Amino acid sequence: MKDKYYITTAIAYTSGKPHIGNTYEAILADSIARFKRYQGFDVFFQTGTDEHGQKIEEKASKAGVSPKAFVDSVASEIKRIWDLVGVSYDKFIRTTDEYHEKQVQKIFNKLYEKGDIYKGAYEGWYCTPCESFWTESQLVDGKCPDCGRPVVKSQEEAYFFKMSKYADRLMEYYNNHPEFILPVSRKNEMVNNFLKPGLQDLCVSRSTFKWGIPVDFDPKHVVYVWLDALTNYITGIGYDADGKHQESYNKLWPADVHVIGKDIIRFHTIYWPIFLMALDIPLPEKVYGHGWLLQDGGKMSKSKGNVMYADDLVEFFGKDAVRYYVLTAMPQDNDGLISWESIIDGINSDLANVFGNLVSRTIAMSNKYFDGVVKNGNVFEPVDDDLKAVVTSAVKKVTAKMDEFKISDALFEIFTVFRRANKYIDETMPWALAKDESKKDRLATVLYNLVESIVVGTSLLSPYLPDTCDKVAKMLNVQLREFNKLNEFGLIDEISVTKTPEILFARLDSAKVMEQVNAMIESRKEKEEKKTEKVEEKVEKPLIDIEEFDKVQLKVAKVVACEKVEKSKKLLKLTVKLGEEERTVVSGIALHYAPEYLVGKKVVMVTNLRPAKLCGIMSEGMIVCAEDENGNISFLTPEKADMPDGSPIF
Ligand code: ME8
């Protein structure tokens, strides 16, 4: 067994369901962890949830549940999604775990006793969503420099950590460890934006809300959520502030890499190392800050509502296709763009056309020409050498990319093997060889070379697309190759491939899939709107004057014709009579009334509403309805059936 390798992800906030961006990070770290395991490292992979803080307290209160009940439910959702996309963590830590809370308290005490934490008063600008205090000069256009949202002026008695005390040591550490922050470009940001202007002491307690770990010698304060969250990396593996560490801590710390997003590099490369220095603990080897997955050119965020979720994607495309897509969508130094259409394109071009097609053609030809049994015919041609060179050099190239965490480049190198093998089929034309009995051995060699190439490529691909690669191994009836034998060619003696191959990735009809996707988005939107409407309805409207009410013109209208609006489940087109006048009204009541039932009925209608087009039909008014708690609808009708249509209502 090689050395230990301790890898972590950021712990996700339990403020809501994680989107594909957060999930990307878990998949990314998982691929690195699996690759390291494959290389033979003794890997420990930790992930988890960050469960304290004001934002979560507020969300729980809005949802009408206790903070603990709220985080329990979100944490289990996060775990479910990590499991769904195949995150092979060894430990899932929650910051509400008792051992973690206890250690955070002990760490706080220790730093207080040491004099690195002191009591003071804080006045500053607070960004609630980011849980961050900012000074006036740090604000950008008066807003939070991290997320751009409004900040509020806040003052509180608080505990502070003496950041500045460690600034020089940190700078020295950066200089002596040029690869501590990766990609290196992110290091300059930290030095220029934070270290050079001088570090301010950091406020490490809060007293304006309750949902946090209490400072045990002054319990009206809770520990600042970042001090609480960052220490998960040591508490999760058995750190003890009194020095009675568990064996796992002694073995695993310092971490080999913290995988995090670009927005929290400051916390991981300034605060975290300084906390560790203050605790006399060695620093992690590397902090890798990946870019963000962006949707429709903008930041994907729970609050903006433009969110893609991993479980939807998995339902449409399958786990491995989603893993492949997010890993390849992200260039190393930049953000990655993600859209439903590009996922479909990626699946069709790389997974179906290049990889799936290679495997299926090879199995089909092995069955057709050799009844499924492939053995080297030992008839070589120069074209074989180039194929072998590409296949056997892949492991070195992929490893080099992985050492730099260039995952999408590593995947490109693996697909180079598959692309080369496909080209080899075109070059060798097995179907032509099959026509000539004297070329049988050459044909066997060609198929043998293809199988070897698939085995090497698939083995290399297995950390990223584990299930698919297992499937390929089963279909070929082989074991995936050991890592240290990937640079060898020709290790298989004889294999018999399956007679009933499965399609690995079916080609997708983009238009059809997009139709389903849009229907899903539409129905989700409707649900969301309903939710908001419900909330709005519950809020009593403010008092108005009679003049304001008088602006609304209501009349009795008689429905003379009614039909469904094509392409809409919810809309009906009504023709109504208002005395002499006839009008068209589009109304969202199709789920509640059959068109024929409405014909002849008298209804109450707003007649001076500005006309609006709905599904291409101009609607010239609105039918007034009542709605109960369960969404049941009832239109209103005059109490006297002979009240003439066109009568005003006041
Ligand atoms: O930051 N694309 O939690 P979090 C890629 N609790 N990565 C993204 C992303 C996107 N669109 N959006 C977010 C927190 N992330 C803290 C971490 S660690 C001690 C505490 C990444 O749920 C983000 O950069 O907001 C972070 O690394 C991770 O998802 C969790 O984000």
Side-chain angles (χ1 to χ4, degrees), residues 10-13 19 21-22 24-25 50 226 229-230 232-233 260-264 268 290-293 300:
I11 48 174
Y13 281 128
H19 53 62
N22 310 122
Y24 158 76
E25 181 175 297
D50 184 358
W226 273 101
L230 286 163
N232 91 84
Y233 301 129
I260 55 159
K262 60 175 187 177
D263 57 319
I264 54 173
H268 283 80
H290 59 76
W292 270 30
L293 275 186
M300 197 177 345

